Amino acid sequence: MREAVLTATTYFVCAAIALQLTRFDAGIAVVWLAGPVLFARLCSTPRRHWIGMALACAPLAFCASILFGFHGLVALPLSMLCIAEAFSAAWLVRRIYPRFGRFQSLAEVGSFLLVAGALIPAITAFAAAYSTHVTQGLAYWPAWRDWFAGHALGFMTFAPPLLLCLRGETRQWIASAGRKRMGEAAVLLGLVLVASLITFGQNARPLVIVPFVPTIAATLRLGRFGAVSSILILVTVGLSLSLAGRGPTTLLAGPMAVKFQVLQIYFASVVLIVLPLAAELRSRRRLVERLHAAEALHRAVLDRMSDIVVRIGADGLVRYASPSALQVSGYAPAELVGRSMFDLILPEDVPVIDEARGKALAHPDDAAIVEYRVRCKNGDIVWVESHIRGIVDEDGRTSGTVSIIREITRRRQLVENLTAQAMTDHLTGALNRRAFDEALAAMLDASGPESSKPDTSDQGATAGCLALFDLDHFKQINDRYGHATGDDVLVRFVAILRGAVREGDLVARLGGEEFAALLSGLSLDQAHLVCERIRTRFEEAAVRDPSGARVEATVSIGIAPLSLGQDGRAVMALADDTLYRAKQDGRNRTGLPILPGSTHRRSA
């Protein structure tokens, strides 16, 4: 209730001043102060109080119009039209911009200027011009122009400073400003006052540009407080001296109504320049504050995380490395910045990371994941996993990549160990049947990868030999000496087998006492010599049981040639047949296949 009474009283005073001082030739007031008062109060008050606020202002608005404006019945519609104008402007601008009232962004300022500075005054001007034309005989379009100019420019000029004052923005700024800041504000606003007095205190020259310089300086340095304070100083000085017959308006030819409209256009120009500038500055400062806060947060996170964050330019040079780089690689971030990322990557892994970076640069919305090896400062080699994403600049072009790198050496070793365990016989250490089948298929594959695809003439070319081994009477060894001794025999045989073949040849346990070796690139004769060496060494090997007795053990061998494009089952069948014949011939023999045109004996 108290606020409603105070608002109605202020509305009456402002309406009386405007009608008394700015109505020229019995026309419409060319400066309207009351509308901005009600508009500002409504925008700073909860909507549930709006009706009471408007009803409190209505009778006093009618009184001001009767006493100082148009007399008679026309005073009622004009006064109610002024109330409706302020109410409609407040309602519509809040609908467009719900958080209106702080002038913190260009969108907010633009909404205010569109609604209160153009649309609503233009609509109410039609009704006001019609009323005054019918009842007072005023020309319709001049009346429309005077109403629109006075009310639109009044909203634009007086509503922002009133609204910021009512919302406590000015008080908050003063309370939060230190002594140095207050001293700077006093100097800048003093310059605005001096410039305003120089501009409007003389009639010789139109120095209207002079107040712009200190006003903009105050806005840049003090923000919205500087903008609002500068506008209030300029408007107060300009209106007071202009009403006293001083200032640049005296240099204009024409009636006083036109001179004051020009003056309000000048004030509105200042508002249109200063308010958007203050809003944009406020928006940018808030953005900078958020960026600084985000940067501080990011640095706090980066300083404490174990993963490495690296930003790399399109040229491959490191632009930023997080502190965790020291723990993982031994290099301090300063040692990495400006250095090529490829310097630390093992040469054989460079194509992999280069391909992943290319994908990230081409598709910045998608992350590329790659694993590769890095050489640390102390010479150690570690495995890392990198999640790479492209960085897009303001023009939409990828300017580099950002990577989150995690050391995965232990994980990689675990995976490799698990893989090896899955492919290895746990007793002998030889590869198991699964690994053997994959290796045999790879040796017989005549197509090969696309990049190394051989000619069709390679079909049927010799790829090496397959040797199958079966320990003779192994069940009897287990029965006589026990399974532990039988296991020792198997382990001993694999050791002899590995020692007789080359490093790249594959040794596998197919099951029980059956073993196989893939002898790549060897002819039958060469494979036969290798297998004979294995047979004789095993026969001579000294394996003893727990009591110290020597365990006699021999092995039978079957050999089959390997040809590119050959079916693996056919190779195994041929080797099995050769091994079977070696056993049939008395065991402890190396069997050779009987091939068309072959001079080899059945076994040796």
Side-chain angles (χ1 to χ4, degrees):
M1 183 64 182
R2 180 182 176 184
E3 291 184 354
V5 173
L6 180 60
T7 301
T9 303
T10 306
Y11 186 94
F12 174 80
V13 172
C14 291
I17 292 174
L19 292 171
Q20 184 71 17
L21 299 180
T22 66
R23 286 184 70 233
F24 303 105
D25 301 326
I28 293 175
V30 295
V31 176
W32 188 241
L33 306 175
V37 171
L38 180 57
F39 172 83
R41 174 58 73 179
L42 292 176
C43 289
S44 60
T45 304
R47 290 187 181 181
R48 62 179 180 273
H49 300 312
W50 283 21
I51 299 297
M53 226 39 108
L55 292 176
C57 292
L60 294 183
F62 176 71
C63 292
S65 183
I66 285 290
L67 295 174
F68 305 104
F70 293 105
H71 304 292
L73 293 178
V74 72
L76 181 61
L78 290 180
S79 59
M80 295 304 101
L81 193 60
C82 291
I83 300 295
E85 180 184 60
F87 192 96
S88 301
W91 178 85
L92 185 55
V93 77
R94 288 287 293 272
R95 289 284 296 180
I96 296 175
Y97 200 91
R99 301 183 63 185
F100 173 77
R102 299 182 184 276
F103 298 97
Q104 293 182 332
S105 66
L106 289 177
E108 184 177 5
V109 173
S111 301
F112 163 71
L113 294 176
L114 174 65
V115 174
L119 181 61
I120 298 300
I123 294 174
T124 56
F126 287 107
Y130 178 77
S131 299
T132 55
H133 174 69
V134 172
T135 60
Q136 305 297 318
L138 298 181
Y140 182 85
W141 287 113
W144 184 93
R145 179 199 61 201
D146 292 343
W147 178 283
F148 173 74
H151 288 238
L153 297 176
F155 277 119
M156 293 168 58
T157 304
F158 301 107
L162 287 173
L163 186 55
L164 292 177
C165 289
L166 289 173
R167 294 185 66 92
E169 298 289 328
T170 303
R171 184 174 63 255
Q172 291 176 10
W173 190 93
I174 295 175
S176 62
R179 181 178 300 179
K180 182 179 179 181
R181 192 75 165 162
M182 290 298 296
E184 182 181 17
V187 172
L188 291 172
L189 296 180
L191 292 175
V192 174
L193 176 61
V194 171
S196 301
L197 291 173
I198 291 175
T199 300
F200 292 96
Q202 50 83 37
N203 302 336
R205 293 179 178 83
L207 303 177
V208 292
I209 198 67
V210 173
F212 274 87
V213 177
T215 297
I216 292 176
T219 302
L220 292 175
R221 294 297 303 167
L222 308 177
R224 289 174 301 161
F225 173 78
V228 170
S229 301
S230 300
I231 292 172
L232 283 175
I233 293 171
L234 180 61
V235 171
T236 301
V237 172
L239 279 178
S240 301
L241 293 179
S242 296
L243 288 172
R246 309 286 294 177
T249 55
T250 60
L251 302 177
L252 297 174
M256 285 297 295
V258 174
K259 294 181 179 181
F260 268 79
Q261 286 176 355
V262 173
L263 180 63
Q264 284 203 91
I265 292 174
Y266 169 72
F267 291 150
S269 300
V270 175
V271 172
L272 289 173
I273 293 174
V274 172
L275 269 188
L277 177 61
E280 180 64 15
L281 286 174
R282 174 63 177 171
S283 178
R284 289 179 178 269
R285 284 173 181 167
R286 293 177 65 188
L287 177 60
V288 171
E289 290 173 359
R290 288 197 296 268
L291 289 175
H292 286 166
E295 181 181 8
L297 176 61
H298 291 165
R299 287 196 174 275
V301 172
L302 292 175
D303 289 344
R304 288 162 177 80
M305 69 184 300
S306 58
D307 293 350
I308 305 173
V309 178
V310 179
R311 183 165 57 86
I312 302 171
D315 54 2
L317 299 181
V318 177
R319 300 288 192 268
Y320 169 81
S322 62
S324 52
L326 180 62
Q327 301 174 359
V328 176
S329 68
Y331 290 97
E335 297 179 271
L336 296 177
V337 174
R339 186 173 180 175
S340 173
M341 58 170 287
F342 298 108
D343 291 347
L344 307 182
I345 301 172
L346 264 62
E348 51 266 36
D349 291 346
V350 168
V352 177
I353 188 68
D354 202 27
E355 180 183 0
R357 271 195 94 236
K359 291 180 180 179
L361 291 171
H363 306 283
D365 292 334
D366 300 329
I369 304 175
V370 64
E371 296 181 2
Y372 54 94
R373 288 164 294 178
V374 173
R375 189 180 301 278
C376 299
K377 191 174 183 179
N378 61 3
D380 292 345
I381 296 176
V382 297
W383 277 94
V384 297
E385 178 186 77
S386 181
H387 292 242
I388 308 172
R389 186 179 290 274
I391 301 174
V392 180
D393 59 18
E394 58 184 5
D395 297 325
R397 297 174 297 184
T398 49
S399 58
T401 58
V402 61
S403 302
I404 299 179
I405 302 173
R406 173 175 298 177
E407 183 187 358
I408 58 167
T409 303
R410 290 184 180 179
R411 189 186 80 184
R412 186 86 182 196
Q413 290 174 347
L414 178 61
V415 172
E416 291 176 354
N417 291 339
L418 292 175
T419 302
Q421 292 175 14
M423 306 291 282
T424 304
D425 174 55
H426 70 282
L427 174 63
T428 63
L431 296 179
N432 58 20
R433 182 60 183 262
R434 176 184 174 185
F436 169 78
D437 290 340
E438 292 181 0
L440 178 60
M443 284 190 69
L444 299 177
D445 186 8
S447 61
E450 192 66 27
S451 59
S452 60
K453 186 174 182 179
D455 297 334
T456 55
S457 58
D458 289 337
Q459 294 283 347
T462 300
C465 289
L466 164 64
L468 292 184
F469 303 86
D470 187 275
L471 273 60
D472 299 326
H473 305 298
F474 185 72
K475 184 178 183 302
Q476 296 178 10
I477 295 176
N478 279 335
D479 293 341
R480 180 177 179 182
Y481 299 101
H483 288 280
T485 302
D487 290 344
D488 291 341
V489 172
L490 295 177
V491 172
R492 180 61 174 163
F493 175 74
V494 170
I496 293 173
L497 179 56
R498 280 180 169 167
V501 299
R502 296 164 300 177
E503 184 176 352
D505 293 332
L506 181 141
V507 174
R509 182 184 182 187
L510 304 184
E513 68 274 18
E514 296 181 2
F515 297 86
L518 292 177
L519 308 173
S520 61
L522 296 187
S523 64
L524 278 175
D525 290 335
Q526 292 169 329
H528 178 262
L529 291 175
V530 172
C531 290
E532 277 295 292
R533 183 163 60 246
I534 295 169
R535 184 186 64 78
T536 56
R537 287 182 182 179
F538 182 63
E539 184 181 13
E540 298 169 356
V543 178
R544 300 185 181 276
D545 70 352
S547 64
R550 188 176 187 276
V551 179
E552 301 290 341
T554 59
V555 63
S556 297
I557 307 169
I559 304 175
L562 300 175
S563 301
L564 294 179
Q566 192 176 8
D567 182 65
R569 289 173 296 182
V571 175
M572 288 294 295
L574 179 59
D576 273 332
D577 180 68
T578 306
L579 176 61
Y580 175 77
R581 286 188 282 103
K583 285 183 172 290
Q584 290 288 357
D585 289 342
R587 291 186 173 84
N588 193 22
R589 298 174 183 276
T590 301
L592 292 172
I594 300 177
L595 301 174
S598 173
T599 60
H600 292 292
R601 294 173 296 167
R602 293 176 58 187
S603 61

